[in-house]
Amino acid sequence: MPRTPSRRTVLRGLTVTGAAVIGFDPAARAWASDADAAAADAAETDARLAGIPRLDGTLLRDDASLSAASDDYGHIVHQRPAAVLRPGSVRDIVAMVRFCNEHCVPVAPRGQGHAPFGQAQVPGGLVIETTPLAAIGPVGPDSTTVTVGAGARWSEVARATLAHGLTPPVFTDYIELSVGGTLSVGGLGGQTHQHGAQVDNVTELRVVTGAGELVRCSPTRRPDLFHAVLAGLGQCGIIVEATLRLVPAPANVRHYHLTYDDLATFLDDQRLLVQDGRFDYVEGQVTADAAGAFRVYTLEAVAYGPPAGPAPDDATLLRGLRHTPSGVRYEDRSYFDFLDRLAPLVAMLKEAGFWTYAHPWLNLMVPGTSAASVSAPLLNALTPADVGPGVILFYPLLRERLTTPLLRTSDEPVSYLFDILGATPPDDTAAVDGRLAANRSAYEAAAAAGGTQYPVGSIPFTPADWRTHFGPAWPALKAAKQMYDPQGILVPGQGIF
């Protein structure tokens, strides 16, 4: 009579380099492979292990996969998971989250790995790669929405929709980020003053909750979950699919660069432009002058051309602005070239090795009336070495456009996203620690003025800080956490609960 196969022999799709995952040992709190059990009695090993669900994809435990999942774009925090799931389907994510919920194993999704401070890392837990979930469409010329997988990159979404003359209304400056990743934090860009954040342009989600339930939610269907997931930092569910609003795309844009020598004037003109709405995109940068002081201010403003609007009229668009008259330049380019304008810079940074630098980023949401007084001391204290091959940015935001409850900003009509996106050699731990301490002090100054942080940076935060951060939205987030992630397994790297 044939021998009844053991749990190891019936598992499919779990082969890893040199071994196959055969189960989870609840007592040891560890995944087990054939290699681990080679010297043990098979029947005894099978008896103590919880069987891994059958998967369409792969559960990885090789050193390269675990090492990659214990790092991110920040290169500051390194927490090694026990396993990495490369799903072959949404079913895999449902099955493994349900399994991890049963055994209290922490879980975090990972898209492009662009977190700067270990937010998507899970020591001893399971990292779920979302990149296989990259389906887009269908899209037609009359579409008002597009449904995409969480692992799709915004650049891919743009290409797919532009083929039909359509576009999502808001993009982050860097468009190689995943849809699920930016929707988990907010997704801010220079178009936000016109259309809100990316999270404000989502009509429906499919989410795997912390209990392993696959749920479709929207503003009218399970709205508590919908509002807890958008800008919810992964605390209540893993986004696997999102339906995004589409608008007509411009064919071309005119991208203006206006130079200022005074911070307050620069910020006032940014405020003017977002309040009167004459430009489709408004942002600004701060760079160092010849003496190394950060006091050169460049306002970036973009007007869309046909078919989304009339051809740009320079005199009308620049009327009333107080930039340096000699410091005006602009270029006309295609809409996609504008969206993808960082691609050459990113290629240069990677080639030069700067992509692997530590990125102790500071991202603050500062009230409009306090923007100059909060940011000026921080800019005055910076040196070019502090910023390295990084950038300093200001985005003016209109509060009335930001409707997602968990995307926190100041209570004033205009706020500024103020970013110091520095880069530091990763082996210079003293410099990194110094920037983290400076980030904390900067956050406290912003909070004292009525501001908060945009949670994509590297600011040491406590659970008490998070309660303050979410403010009136905290009770709803806490209730949703208890409802949809009862074991508290999702994304512990955020340090919220």
Side-chain angles (χ1 to χ4, degrees), residues 8 18 22 32-42 45 48:
R8 287 192 296 279
I22 61 174
S33 69
D34 276 328
D36 301 325
D41 177 79
T45 301
R48 74 168 187 267

Side-chain angles (χ1 to χ4, degrees), residues 309-380:
D313 179 273
D314 298 341
T316 300
L317 289 170
L318 302 182
R319 183 176 296 131
L321 300 180
R322 295 167 291 168
H323 53 276
T324 304
S326 61
V328 179
R329 62 183 177 89
Y330 69 81
E331 65 265 0
D332 294 323
R333 55 172 74 186
S334 75
Y335 176 64
F336 184 81
D337 285 347
F338 166 68
L339 295 179
D340 200 35
R341 64 196 179 280
L342 294 188
L345 173 62
V346 170
M348 181 275 290
L349 293 173
K350 290 181 177 180
E351 184 177 356
F354 294 135
W355 205 251
T356 60
Y357 272 33
H359 297 95
W361 282 3
L362 175 68
N363 305 77
L364 300 175
M365 299 282 246
V366 185
T369 58
S370 304
S373 61
V374 169
S375 61
L378 304 179
L379 293 172
N380 291 339

